[in-house]
Amino acid sequence: MTELRIRPRKRRITFVLITALITALIVAAGGLWFKLQGNISTAAIRSTESPAPDSSHGMNILLLGSDTRDMDATGFGKATGARSDSMVLVHLAAGNKRIDAVQIPRDTLVDMPACEDTGHGSYPGGVAMINSALNYGPACSVAAVESLTGVQLNHFIEVNFEGLMSIVDALGGVKVCLPTAMKDSKANLDLPAGEQAVNGTDALALARTRHAVGDGSDIARLGHQQMVMSAIVQQATSKETLARPDRLYSFLDAATSSLTVDPGLSSLTDLSSLALRAQAVPSAKITFMTMPWEQAPQNKNRVVPSADAESLFASLRADSPVVLAGSTNKKQSENTKSLQAPVQIFNAAQVAGLAADFSAKATKEGFTVSSVGNAASVKAHTTLLAADTDQAQETAKALAKALNLDLKPTTAKVDGVQLSLGQDYQALQKPEKSPVTTTNRTADQSLCG
C-alpha cells in the first residue's frame, strides 16, 4: 500500500474525519485491521433503502455527539433515552477544496418529519427540539437535519460521551486556551485561565458546560465546542501522536470502539477512502461555524434558523464557499496578483456604462484591465475568450468567479482575456451572497486566538 505522508502543521482534518485519516495509516498492520474493524457499530441512515444521495456537489456528513447515559463513566447526570448533545453538519466540498462544519444548536425548534421504526421506536412527527430526534435513532436525526437544512446527507457518525473522553485520553490529552477561569459543578468543570492540557473528562466538561459561559444557554457553549474540536484535530495529526505507535493504536482503538456509523462507512476501507479526500483539504479551508439563529417566536428559551442560516445552507447545497461577515478580500487579492493576463471588457449589450461598471469590479478584485469600450456590434450572448496559455485560462476562470458570472472561458486567439457582455449578461449573473454573521474558527487557528 502507498505510504501516506502527513505534514502535521500544514494538513488538518475535522473531528468527524479523524478516525478515517489515522485508520488509513495502519491498514497494512495485519491483525490490527480485523480488531479495529470489529469495533465499529452500524445503524440505519434511513428507514427505507433508497439510492445514495448525489455527491457531485460535495459530501455531507452528520456528526452526532450523543448524551446517552448508558456508559461506565459517572457524574454526568441521569436521563432516559438519548439526545444529540452536539450536532455538526460537515460538508466536504467537491474536489476536496474545503470543509465547512456547521454546529446546529441542540435547542433548535424544528417541525420534525415522521420517523419510522429503525430499532428505536417510531415518531409521528411534530414540532420539537432537534436534539430529541436521536431518541428514535440516528435515522430520525438525519431526517430532521435534512428537513431543517435542505441538505441531503450521505453519512452520519455518532460518538457518545464516554467515547469522546476515551479518544482524548488516548491522545494523551489535548491543549486548550481559556481567557478566564471556568467552573461549573453541573458539568464537573474546574479549569484555570490560560493555555493548558486537559484530559478526556475535562475536555468533555468544557464542551458541555452551559453555566460557566455567557447566559448559560446552549448557544453560549458552542464556541468552546469549536475549540475542543480544533484541539482534537491538532493533537490527532501532531508528531506526538503519529510518531508513537502505542498512542496511535490506543487512539484508533478508542475511536473505532466509540463510533456508530451508517452502513456506507462501516468498513475501514470506507473510512480510509474518506480520509484520503479529507487529507487534501488545506487547514485554512476547514472552518467550524455555528448555525445563525434567532429567538423562537413561541419560546424565548429556544432558537430557530435566521435568514443568514438559509444563506449558509444554500451555499452548502450549491457546494459554494460560505461568505462570512468580517472576512476580507485579502486572499482573493493575493491570488489574483499572480493572474497577470490582461483583461479586455467590451459592452455588446448597448447598456450605458456597462463595460465601465464591470471594469471597476474587476479592478477592485485585483485584475489588470487593459481595455474598456463598446463592441463593434450588438451581441445576444456574452462571451469569455482566453488565450491558449495557463495564465490566461486561469485568469479567465477567476474573472468569471469574481464577477459572479456563470460563464466558462473559450480558447481563442486573443491577447490575454476578453469579456464581451451581451444582452443576456443579467441571466448569467448569479445572485450575490450576503455575508453570514456567525461564530466561526478555522482548524489551523491558534487555540488562544
Side-chain angles (χ1 to χ4, degrees), residues 324-345:
L324 295 170
S327 62
T328 68
N329 289 328
K330 180 179 179 181
K331 290 184 178 179
Q332 174 69 20
S333 298
E334 289 175 349
N335 291 336
T336 55
K337 284 178 182 177
S338 63
L339 303 175
Q340 294 299 324
V343 175
Q344 304 174 66
I345 300 179

Side-chain angles (χ1 to χ4, degrees), residues 289-329:
M289 61 191 89
T290 300
M291 179 194 83
W293 56 275
E294 60 189 19
Q295 190 178 88
Q298 62 271 58
N299 188 334
K300 66 178 183 179
N301 295 317
R302 302 290 179 259
V303 302
V304 293
S306 67
D308 273 0
E310 175 49 36
S311 177
L312 188 158
F313 295 143
S315 293
L316 300 189
R317 293 193 296 267
D319 192 33
S320 61
V322 178
V323 179
L324 295 170
S327 62
T328 68
N329 289 328

